[in-house]
């Protein structure tokens, strides 16, 4: 815990990621910060792409 604190992360952040089974991937971080509208657009695009491939 101390070595992580030296990196500038709070204990709460370490506990949050520990409960979530590890550090998030770059894709998970991007999705966490996207707005609802961005997410809806992305999901629509993914569903269109999936329908075209089928």
């Amino acid at each position: 815990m101390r070595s992580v604190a030296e990196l500038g992360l709070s204990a709460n952040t370490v506990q949050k990621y520990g409960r979530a089974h590890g550090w998030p991937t770059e894709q998970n971080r991007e999705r966490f910060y996207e707005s609802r509208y961005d997410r809806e657009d992305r999901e629509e695009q993914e569903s269109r792409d999936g329908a075209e491939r089928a």
Side-chain angles (χ1 to χ4, degrees):
M1 181 66 96
R2 288 186 188 133
S3 61
V4 177
E6 291 172 2
L7 296 174
L9 297 174
S10 72
N12 289 340
T13 300
V14 175
Q15 289 175 351
K16 177 177 78 172
Y17 288 132
R19 283 191 214 105
H21 309 292
W23 299 102
T25 63
E26 188 65 33
Q27 183 182 34
N28 288 347
R29 270 189 233 110
E30 289 173 5
R31 288 183 176 183
F32 179 79
Y33 291 115
E34 72 185 0
S35 71
R36 180 181 73 173
Y37 302 107
D38 292 339
R39 183 176 60 248
E40 290 172 352
D41 288 343
R42 178 180 48 79
E43 290 172 349
E44 286 177 12
Q45 182 66 37
E46 289 173 353
S47 67
R48 282 193 298 258
D49 289 347
E52 292 173 1
R53 291 179 189 158

